[in-house]
Amino acid sequence: MSNQIQPVRGMNDVLAGDIAVWQFVERAATELLTAYGYEEMRVPVLEQTQLFKRAIGEFTDVVEKEMYTFTDTGGDSLTLRPEATAGMVRAAISNGLLRGARLKVWCIGPMFRHEKPQKGRYRQFHQVDVEAIGFAGPDVDIELIALTARLWRKLGVGRVKLQINSLGTVESRRAYRELLQEYFRAHRGELDVDSLRRLEGNPLRILDSKNADMQALIAAAPLLTEHLDAESAEHFAALRAGLDALAIPYAVNPRLVRGLDYYSRTVFEWTTDALGSQDAVCSGGRYDGLISQLGGDATPAIGFAMGVERVVELVRQVGTASAARPPDIYVIAQGDVALRAALVAAEQLREALPQRVVHVNLGGGNFKAQFRRADKSGASFALVIGDEEIARGMASWKALRGESPQRQLDLNDLPAQVEAAVRDQSAALTN
Ligand code: HAM
């Protein structure tokens, strides 16, 4: 026991028994994103540390305490991506994709944050990340939210609620930030340690505090939605009207500020009451200032990311994903000659009937043991090849679920005979 290597804390293996739900979620997201005109991109999991510091902000929890940062042997400071937006934007700039163009792109993959692990919060987790770059909105804001609402329907997930807010432009946010600083400075004595630390660097994050003792103070703080610039207020009104027109229910949450610094105007978050304290399943917003901040031409953009582990758990709870597909045919063979014939027969079936799942019994065993494995695999049919059958150029065919007489199939015409047998026996079972 003691010399076994332990997994890294907060990093999970996804085992074969769980993969069907993951693939169901990934397939639904891929199909939907394709249908809305988004294209997949793949970007590295490692980036220069500076990218995240500049994009996410020095005074955020992510940059201050959650990044996996190291110096490589060449002396470069690199960081395992804590989120995907910075890397996607970096890739768009580095590859010259933004010159006058618009991009609708997405990616999926692992992200890394050194947070305290608990149910639904991991140090390696996965996101489906979606970015629409070059669009000022609010049309794209509305469509992106509609896409997420459709995804929940497609996945059969019902217990999710949408919250929206507007953070205004960088300028109006700056003015609001000063107002907020003034307010909290006047109540310095009531601030907890975390909020005191955030007061000068990132006072908006104080609004996010979960500390019960701080809630009354936060509730009385000036509201961001009341200090929006005229254009942002108009943008927000259009967003709300669009969601109303699409009959997508939402709540305006003036305290929704998000944990990353690059947002402006629209922010949104889908939360659930089905997962305990880690309740955000999908969140995002507009980041009109980020691209110029990272050295590109000023370009408006919006995006969101969905936490795959959390959505997988929601889907598991409602049971909409079908289980892993069992084999249609399990090929049983005993003896060297029969095993070779079985491997040939299985390849013929896979060639001619690519829609069928065919397993060959590997690793030997007597007929009894092989039938036991066939049964355990959940296969519908067994194709049995023994020396006696080969001598006659035949194989035995047996239904493993339900009563059905055994058949003899001609090895020289196997795919057609198998297909006919499957059809007849499935029809017999449904009659
Ligand atoms: P975020 O809110 O930091 O936003 O993360 C998005 C989602 O990732 C969360 O709603 C949650 O479902 C999931 N998530 C975050 N941290 C963890 C964790 N430790 N364990 C499990 N799941 C987690 C972003 O990352 C932005 N880049 C989203 C975005 C894209 N904004 C614009 N474009």
Side-chain angles (χ1 to χ4, degrees):
M1 265 312 269
S2 58
N3 69 353
Q4 276 186 7
I5 295 182
Q6 298 303 310
V8 179
R9 200 160 114 80
M11 305 205 179
N12 301 311
D13 304 304
V14 180
L15 302 182
D18 294 324
I19 213 74
V21 188
W22 280 72
Q23 289 177 344
F24 174 73
V25 171
E26 289 169 8
R27 211 176 310 119
T30 307
E31 283 171 9
L32 208 58
L33 286 161
T34 306
Y36 276 76
Y38 286 78
E39 293 174 303
E40 186 177 358
M41 281 205 338
R42 299 189 182 183
V43 294
V45 293
L46 270 183
E47 296 276 359
Q48 306 282 351
T49 302
Q50 206 48 36
L51 172 69
F52 301 115
K53 287 194 174 168
R54 260 162 75 182
I56 298 171
E58 298 263 5
F59 293 101
T60 55
D61 283 353
V62 171
V63 169
E64 271 183 348
K65 36 185 190 194
E66 294 170 1
M67 297 209 299
Y68 282 89
T69 297
F70 65 96
T71 306
D72 76 358
T73 44
D76 289 328
S77 176
L78 304 179
T79 293
L80 277 169
R81 63 178 179 195
E83 58 103 57
T85 309
M88 293 288 269
V89 167
R90 197 271 313 136
I93 299 172
S94 325
N95 292 287
L97 305 181
L98 290 180
R99 296 189 194 112
R102 293 162 161 192
L103 273 187
K104 286 163 72 180
V105 287
W106 66 278
C107 73
I108 182 169
M111 311 293 150
F112 304 85
R113 294 184 194 176
H114 195 274
E115 295 190 79
K116 201 159 181 254
Q118 63 177 83
K119 189 174 181 306
R121 186 166 71 197
Y122 309 107
R123 289 181 173 174
Q124 175 179 292
F125 60 98
H126 295 75
Q127 285 184 344
V128 169
D129 178 86
V130 182
E131 311 293 352
I133 306 179
F135 301 86
D139 49 2
V140 66
D141 309 24
I142 300 162
E143 194 190 63
L144 264 187
I145 292 177
L147 187 162
T148 53
R150 184 171 300 285
L151 181 62
W152 309 133
R153 287 201 293 282
K154 199 171 162 83
L155 294 172
V157 165
R159 285 166 70 178
V160 283
K161 287 208 171 95
L162 173 64
Q163 297 180 16
I164 60 170
N165 192 22
S166 175
L167 301 181
T169 58
V170 175
E171 296 76 42
S172 70
R173 193 141 68 118
R174 197 172 297 135
Y176 171 71
R177 197 185 123 115
E178 278 167 23
L179 209 68
L180 206 59
Q181 256 167 346
E182 245 170 64
Y183 169 80
F184 283 124
R185 276 193 203 120
H187 295 86
R188 189 181 277 277
E190 295 161 60
L191 297 180
D192 62 9
V193 181
D194 267 347
S195 303
L196 273 174
R197 196 167 41 81
R198 286 171 173 158
L199 180 59
E200 300 310 323
N202 195 356
L204 263 76
R205 290 289 289 156
I206 301 178
L207 300 176
D208 251 4
S209 167
K210 303 277 181 286
N211 183 347
D213 297 340
M214 298 268 307
Q215 296 311 310
L217 184 68
I218 289 171
L223 281 184
L224 204 150
T225 25
E226 285 167 8
H227 294 87
L228 287 184
D229 56 288
E231 255 184 72
S232 297
E234 207 177 292
H235 190 113
F236 194 44
L239 168 67
R240 293 196 310 268
L243 295 177
D244 292 340
L246 290 170
I248 297 173
Y250 59 86
V252 174
N253 176 1
R255 310 269 172 233
L256 182 66
V257 292
R258 310 275 300 117
L260 314 164
D261 270 359
Y262 48 62
Y263 292 109
S264 55
R265 294 203 170 145
T266 307
V267 288
F268 66 95
E269 192 153 278
W270 288 91
T271 57
T272 178
D273 63 358
L275 295 181
S277 64
Q278 299 309 308
D279 61 353
V281 288
C282 173
S283 16
R286 181 158 279 290
Y287 51 92
D288 294 341
L290 179 61
I291 293 156
S292 54
Q293 206 176 306
L294 294 180
D297 295 338
T299 310
I302 182 168
F304 70 83
M306 172 185 104
V308 180
E309 280 79 0
R310 295 182 189 175
V311 174
V312 160
E313 183 51 32
L314 286 181
V315 170
R316 206 196 313 273
Q317 286 181 12
V318 289
T320 30
S322 49
R325 186 171 165 197
D328 297 299
I329 302 153
Y330 193 98
V331 185
I332 288 174
Q334 205 173 20
D336 288 348
V337 178
L339 178 61
R340 270 195 299 279
L343 290 166
V344 171
E347 285 305 311
Q348 283 173 351
L349 293 176
R350 289 166 179 146
E351 182 74 20
L353 311 171
Q355 74 282 14
R356 298 282 172 209
V357 178
V358 180
H359 288 198
V360 176
N361 181 80
L362 300 174
N366 59 27
F367 275 128
K368 198 168 161 213
Q370 293 192 41
F371 266 108
R372 216 179 302 123
R373 279 187 217 141
D375 194 47
K376 202 166 158 215
S377 76
S380 308
F381 302 99
L383 182 71
V384 187
I385 304 181
D387 290 343
E388 194 190 307
E389 277 95 346
I390 294 177
R392 290 187 287 117
M394 305 297 274
S396 302
W397 177 258
K398 194 172 177 330
L400 296 173
R401 323 271 135 201
E403 286 301 310
S404 183
Q406 190 163 322
R407 291 188 181 196
Q408 295 296 308
L409 306 185
D410 187 343
L411 278 172
N412 290 318
D413 182 30
L414 197 59
Q417 298 209 357
V418 160
E419 211 37 25
V422 170
R423 216 176 316 114
D424 292 354
Q425 281 164 328
S426 318
L429 279 179
T430 47
N431 284 337

